[in-house]
Amino acid sequence: MAKYSIWVMEYAYMPKAPVSAIVYGAHNQGVRKMPYGYVLIKGPGCLAMVDVGYNHKDFGETLARKFDVAGWQPPEVVLAEAGVRPEDVQHVFLTHAHFDHAGATDAFPNAKFYIQEREISKWIWAMALDKRFHWLQGATDPGDIMRIVDLARQGRLVAVDGDREDVLPGIDIRAAHDSHTWGCQFITIRNDGRRESADTWVMAGDLVYSYDNLRGVTPGDPQYVPIGLAMVSQENLLFATDHMMNTVGGDYRRVVPTHDEEVRDVFPSRITKTGLRISEIALADGEPSLVSGGG
Ligand SMILES: [Zn+2]
């Protein structure tokens, strides 16, 4: 019944991310590994991704050093584990423009990119502010924004204003404005193709970093807790979280936080020869597994 196969492909990681960055207010609670990943979606005659990671050169490398990112591998190495070449990817949904999500657009020469129009315009606005406001750009490479603008010049950018349904059959864009960033969006995959789907997956981008943001940290007392980083509004992060949870009927395991190592406990996964993880969220009918029978 499943139309799309969905994998989270880890491409780098922060060995020691402060827990307070992952769960708002969790001060003095140590560090956790925080994977950096993107999502590969394979359907009938169709290859798509959610986010593309960053390019470990120029200012992308500078930001990676600032955040102590380790283990980076380029898309051609990461995607080869799925038998995919970057030039084969046709559609890319950019959840937002932070460097670790939208920094490798130039590695995908044939893809069409979908981003919220508000995400582009507000980053340009932020870049034009006085340097005393530089905190807003803490995880952003201005070069990435310029590359996204250039995609428009090449006719390969779709600037979306709000929600858009069936961008690909069964795949919807949902806006979550003024939350983690100004123009965040999340991606839903209705994998049975039905409008009232019983098999929906949500690709959350950075609206949540961890399952802890979806269920809280107190057993028996589920509640939403925002991530530690909102450029705009913690309140809007909570309502975006509620929107995502309602989309999947309240089952937090159907909201996929690519930054959470715990994804390995929820889905089948394996470690590749480069030490990075592949997690198999869904498998289309007839598609061979990338994780079973492997290493
Ligand atoms: Zn982000």
Side-chain angles (χ1 to χ4, degrees), residues 96-101 139 180-181 184 205-206 209 227 229 259:
H96 65 301
H98 276 153
F99 86 108
D100 56 315
H101 296 260
H180 175 60
T181 63
C184 272
D206 279 358
Y209 286 152
I227 63 172
L229 178 62
H259 277 305

PDB file of all heavy atoms in Angstrom, residues 96-101 139 180-181 184 205-206 209 227 229 259, ligand 1:
ATOM      1  N   HIS A  96      13.788  25.076   5.969  1.00  0.00           N
ATOM      2  CA  HIS A  96      14.184  26.444   6.305  1.00  0.00           C
ATOM      3  C   HIS A  96      15.615  26.633   5.817  1.00  0.00           C
ATOM      4  O   HIS A  96      16.223  25.692   5.289  1.00  0.00           O
ATOM      5  CB  HIS A  96      14.011  26.738   7.791  1.00  0.00           C
ATOM      6  CG  HIS A  96      14.897  25.930   8.711  1.00  0.00           C
ATOM      7  ND1 HIS A  96      14.877  24.550   8.750  1.00  0.00           N
ATOM      8  CD2 HIS A  96      15.816  26.308   9.631  1.00  0.00           C
ATOM      9  CE1 HIS A  96      15.744  24.129   9.655  1.00  0.00           C
ATOM     10  NE2 HIS A  96      16.336  25.180  10.193  1.00  0.00           N
ATOM     11  N   ALA A  97      16.168  27.828   6.012  1.00  0.00           N
ATOM     12  CA  ALA A  97      17.428  28.161   5.340  1.00  0.00           C
ATOM     13  C   ALA A  97      18.658  28.087   6.235  1.00  0.00           C
ATOM     14  O   ALA A  97      19.722  28.567   5.850  1.00  0.00           O
ATOM     15  CB  ALA A  97      17.325  29.546   4.701  1.00  0.00           C
ATOM     16  N   HIS A  98      18.568  27.504   7.432  1.00  0.00           N
ATOM     17  CA  HIS A  98      19.785  27.327   8.230  1.00  0.00           C
ATOM     18  C   HIS A  98      20.793  26.464   7.467  1.00  0.00           C
ATOM     19  O   HIS A  98      20.422  25.599   6.677  1.00  0.00           O
ATOM     20  CB  HIS A  98      19.457  26.698   9.583  1.00  0.00           C
ATOM     21  CG  HIS A  98      19.017  27.710  10.608  1.00  0.00           C
ATOM     22  ND1 HIS A  98      18.180  27.400  11.653  1.00  0.00           N
ATOM     23  CD2 HIS A  98      19.304  29.034  10.721  1.00  0.00           C
ATOM     24  CE1 HIS A  98      17.987  28.491  12.390  1.00  0.00           C
ATOM     25  NE2 HIS A  98      18.646  29.492  11.848  1.00  0.00           N
ATOM     26  N   PHE A  99      22.085  26.733   7.765  1.00  0.00           N
ATOM     27  CA  PHE A  99      23.147  26.168   6.920  1.00  0.00           C
ATOM     28  C   PHE A  99      23.115  24.652   6.849  1.00  0.00           C
ATOM     29  O   PHE A  99      23.432  24.066   5.801  1.00  0.00           O
ATOM     30  CB  PHE A  99      24.530  26.641   7.404  1.00  0.00           C
ATOM     31  CG  PHE A  99      25.144  25.801   8.493  1.00  0.00           C
ATOM     32  CD1 PHE A  99      26.227  24.965   8.221  1.00  0.00           C
ATOM     33  CD2 PHE A  99      24.637  25.825   9.783  1.00  0.00           C
ATOM     34  CE1 PHE A  99      26.797  24.172   9.214  1.00  0.00           C
ATOM     35  CE2 PHE A  99      25.199  25.039  10.782  1.00  0.00           C
ATOM     36  CZ  PHE A  99      26.281  24.218  10.501  1.00  0.00           C
ATOM     37  N   ASP A 100      22.713  23.994   7.954  1.00  0.00           N
ATOM     38  CA  ASP A 100      22.775  22.534   7.970  1.00  0.00           C
ATOM     39  C   ASP A 100      21.578  21.893   7.271  1.00  0.00           C
ATOM     40  O   ASP A 100      21.491  20.671   7.179  1.00  0.00           O
ATOM     41  CB  ASP A 100      22.908  22.007   9.406  1.00  0.00           C
ATOM     42  CG  ASP A 100      21.792  22.476  10.329  1.00  0.00           C
ATOM     43  OD1 ASP A 100      21.444  23.678  10.299  1.00  0.00           O
ATOM     44  OD2 ASP A 100      21.256  21.642  11.084  1.00  0.00           O
ATOM     45  N   HIS A 101      20.677  22.711   6.758  1.00  0.00           N
ATOM     46  CA  HIS A 101      19.511  22.218   6.009  1.00  0.00           C
ATOM     47  C   HIS A 101      19.537  22.644   4.544  1.00  0.00           C
ATOM     48  O   HIS A 101      19.096  21.897   3.675  1.00  0.00           O
ATOM     49  CB  HIS A 101      18.212  22.713   6.670  1.00  0.00           C
ATOM     50  CG  HIS A 101      18.025  22.168   8.042  1.00  0.00           C
ATOM     51  ND1 HIS A 101      17.196  21.102   8.321  1.00  0.00           N
ATOM     52  CD2 HIS A 101      18.613  22.509   9.221  1.00  0.00           C
ATOM     53  CE1 HIS A 101      17.282  20.811   9.617  1.00  0.00           C
ATOM     54  NE2 HIS A 101      18.117  21.647  10.177  1.00  0.00           N
ATOM     55  N   ALA A 139      23.150  30.791  12.631  1.00  0.00           N
ATOM     56  CA  ALA A 139      23.265  29.474  11.978  1.00  0.00           C
ATOM     57  C   ALA A 139      23.000  29.583  10.483  1.00  0.00           C
ATOM     58  O   ALA A 139      22.573  28.622   9.845  1.00  0.00           O
ATOM     59  CB  ALA A 139      22.304  28.476  12.616  1.00  0.00           C
ATOM     60  N   HIS A 180      10.698  28.630  14.531  1.00  0.00           N
ATOM     61  CA  HIS A 180      12.164  28.470  14.590  1.00  0.00           C
ATOM     62  C   HIS A 180      12.825  29.530  13.709  1.00  0.00           C
ATOM     63  O   HIS A 180      13.800  30.163  14.117  1.00  0.00           O
ATOM     64  CB  HIS A 180      12.507  27.054  14.144  1.00  0.00           C
ATOM     65  CG  HIS A 180      13.965  26.750  14.023  1.00  0.00           C
ATOM     66  ND1 HIS A 180      14.842  26.832  15.078  1.00  0.00           N
ATOM     67  CD2 HIS A 180      14.709  26.346  12.949  1.00  0.00           C
ATOM     68  CE1 HIS A 180      16.054  26.489  14.662  1.00  0.00           C
ATOM     69  NE2 HIS A 180      16.007  26.200  13.385  1.00  0.00           N
ATOM     70  N   THR A 181      12.326  29.666  12.488  1.00  0.00           N
ATOM     71  CA  THR A 181      12.687  30.809  11.636  1.00  0.00           C
ATOM     72  C   THR A 181      11.384  31.420  11.110  1.00  0.00           C
ATOM     73  O   THR A 181      10.298  30.932  11.411  1.00  0.00           O
ATOM     74  CB  THR A 181      13.582  30.379  10.451  1.00  0.00           C
ATOM     75  OG1 THR A 181      12.843  29.480   9.618  1.00  0.00           O
ATOM     76  CG2 THR A 181      14.865  29.700  10.933  1.00  0.00           C
ATOM     77  N   CYS A 184       9.507  28.826   8.238  1.00  0.00           N
ATOM     78  CA  CYS A 184       9.638  27.371   8.345  1.00  0.00           C
ATOM     79  C   CYS A 184       8.462  26.678   7.651  1.00  0.00           C
ATOM     80  O   CYS A 184       7.352  27.213   7.577  1.00  0.00           O
ATOM     81  CB  CYS A 184       9.644  26.939   9.812  1.00  0.00           C
ATOM     82  SG  CYS A 184      11.269  26.937  10.592  1.00  0.00           S
ATOM     83  N   GLY A 205      11.667  19.057   9.992  1.00  0.00           N
ATOM     84  CA  GLY A 205      12.726  20.071   9.958  1.00  0.00           C
ATOM     85  C   GLY A 205      13.211  20.365  11.363  1.00  0.00           C
ATOM     86  O   GLY A 205      13.427  19.441  12.156  1.00  0.00           O
ATOM     87  N   ASP A 206      13.378  21.628  11.699  1.00  0.00           N
ATOM     88  CA  ASP A 206      13.829  21.989  13.052  1.00  0.00           C
ATOM     89  C   ASP A 206      12.680  22.492  13.925  1.00  0.00           C
ATOM     90  O   ASP A 206      12.915  23.125  14.948  1.00  0.00           O
ATOM     91  CB  ASP A 206      14.912  23.083  12.983  1.00  0.00           C
ATOM     92  CG  ASP A 206      16.279  22.508  12.662  1.00  0.00           C
ATOM     93  OD1 ASP A 206      16.403  21.274  12.529  1.00  0.00           O
ATOM     94  OD2 ASP A 206      17.228  23.301  12.541  1.00  0.00           O
ATOM     95  N   TYR A 209      13.565  19.118  17.536  1.00  0.00           N
ATOM     96  CA  TYR A 209      14.873  18.471  17.424  1.00  0.00           C
ATOM     97  C   TYR A 209      14.819  17.030  17.921  1.00  0.00           C
ATOM     98  O   TYR A 209      15.681  16.223  17.599  1.00  0.00           O
ATOM     99  CB  TYR A 209      15.917  19.199  18.275  1.00  0.00           C
ATOM    100  CG  TYR A 209      16.413  20.526  17.772  1.00  0.00           C
ATOM    101  CD1 TYR A 209      16.868  21.485  18.669  1.00  0.00           C
ATOM    102  CD2 TYR A 209      16.479  20.824  16.408  1.00  0.00           C
ATOM    103  CE1 TYR A 209      17.363  22.704  18.249  1.00  0.00           C
ATOM    104  CE2 TYR A 209      16.968  22.043  15.978  1.00  0.00           C
ATOM    105  CZ  TYR A 209      17.414  22.986  16.895  1.00  0.00           C
ATOM    106  OH  TYR A 209      17.908  24.188  16.471  1.00  0.00           O
ATOM    107  N   ILE A 227      12.059  23.594  21.288  1.00  0.00           N
ATOM    108  CA  ILE A 227      13.512  23.508  21.181  1.00  0.00           C
ATOM    109  C   ILE A 227      14.135  24.777  21.779  1.00  0.00           C
ATOM    110  O   ILE A 227      13.446  25.757  22.077  1.00  0.00           O
ATOM    111  CB  ILE A 227      13.954  23.333  19.714  1.00  0.00           C
ATOM    112  CG1 ILE A 227      13.570  24.554  18.855  1.00  0.00           C
ATOM    113  CG2 ILE A 227      13.360  22.067  19.126  1.00  0.00           C
ATOM    114  CD1 ILE A 227      14.150  24.520  17.452  1.00  0.00           C
ATOM    115  N   LEU A 229      16.054  26.924  20.426  1.00  0.00           N
ATOM    116  CA  LEU A 229      16.383  28.024  19.507  1.00  0.00           C
ATOM    117  C   LEU A 229      15.175  28.428  18.681  1.00  0.00           C
ATOM    118  O   LEU A 229      14.767  27.718  17.763  1.00  0.00           O
ATOM    119  CB  LEU A 229      17.524  27.609  18.565  1.00  0.00           C
ATOM    120  CG  LEU A 229      17.932  28.653  17.527  1.00  0.00           C
ATOM    121  CD1 LEU A 229      18.446  29.929  18.182  1.00  0.00           C
ATOM    122  CD2 LEU A 229      18.971  28.103  16.568  1.00  0.00           C
ATOM    123  N   HIS A 259      17.149  15.389  13.769  1.00  0.00           N
ATOM    124  CA  HIS A 259      18.269  15.697  14.667  1.00  0.00           C
ATOM    125  C   HIS A 259      18.320  14.797  15.897  1.00  0.00           C
ATOM    126  O   HIS A 259      19.138  15.020  16.786  1.00  0.00           O
ATOM    127  CB  HIS A 259      18.179  17.153  15.142  1.00  0.00           C
ATOM    128  CG  HIS A 259      18.744  18.165  14.195  1.00  0.00           C
ATOM    129  ND1 HIS A 259      20.030  18.107  13.701  1.00  0.00           N
ATOM    130  CD2 HIS A 259      18.200  19.289  13.658  1.00  0.00           C
ATOM    131  CE1 HIS A 259      20.258  19.152  12.919  1.00  0.00           C
ATOM    132  NE2 HIS A 259      19.160  19.888  12.854  1.00  0.00           N
TER     133      HIS A 259
HETATM  134 ZN    ZN B   1      17.429  25.393  12.023  1.00  0.00          ZN
END
